[in-house]
Amino acid sequence: MRSLAARLAQPRWSAAGSVATGMLGAHRARARSFDAGLTVALTLDRPVSQAPEACLLLASTPEASDDALYLADDSLWLLRRFPERLTEVEFDLLLKQQLALAALLAARDRAPPLVLPIAGRYA
């Protein structure tokens, strides 16, 4: 937990030091320490109205089979439970994977659909 708190910008502690909140890169982060390990949640840059699409993307990513999405504070959060005993390197890699997954699940600006020419007329 202390290793993660050192990575958070402006960390805040609550619940007797078992919950930390702050910013991790461009994401709001929440972390909680349990007996079975650490749990980290990151906000997604995606409107709540697009939650079904985010759930489908997450479900189609085998590397994230234990991750989950939840809605709180009018934001979508990507939740990951980390194993109980990790080395610093393992934790760093899994946290980077979670950040990459949050970037993958972020909403993308899409170009407007192309208007196809009417059959027989070409410009």
Side-chain angles (χ1 to χ4, degrees):
M1 185 70 155
R2 300 261 180 232
S3 175
L4 176 68
R7 299 166 197 233
L8 295 175
Q10 304 168 343
R12 293 189 181 141
W13 292 91
S14 61
S18 65
V19 178
T21 58
M23 294 294 293
L24 188 59
H27 306 279
R28 286 185 294 152
R30 295 177 178 166
R32 182 167 184 146
S33 179
F34 293 98
D35 291 339
L38 181 67
T39 301
V40 178
L42 303 173
T43 54
L44 294 181
D45 185 24
R46 178 179 282 270
V48 173
S49 62
Q50 294 180 1
E53 292 91 346
C55 288
L56 285 173
L57 279 171
L58 184 63
S60 67
T61 308
E63 295 81 12
S65 61
D66 291 333
D67 292 355
L69 292 177
Y70 72 94
L71 176 64
D73 304 329
D74 293 324
S75 296
L76 283 174
W77 293 79
L78 174 63
L79 179 75
R80 173 169 286 184
R81 193 186 90 227
F82 290 82
E84 186 177 352
R85 291 186 178 96
L86 292 173
T87 66
E88 187 69 29
V89 172
E90 291 170 328
F91 176 72
D92 187 52
L93 289 173
L94 288 173
L95 188 60
K96 285 179 181 177
Q97 182 188 40
Q98 185 180 12
L99 286 165
L101 186 58
L104 174 73
L105 294 174
R108 304 276 186 253
D109 291 332
R110 295 183 183 161
L114 296 173
V115 178
L116 298 175
I118 298 175
R121 271 186 20 190
Y122 297 96

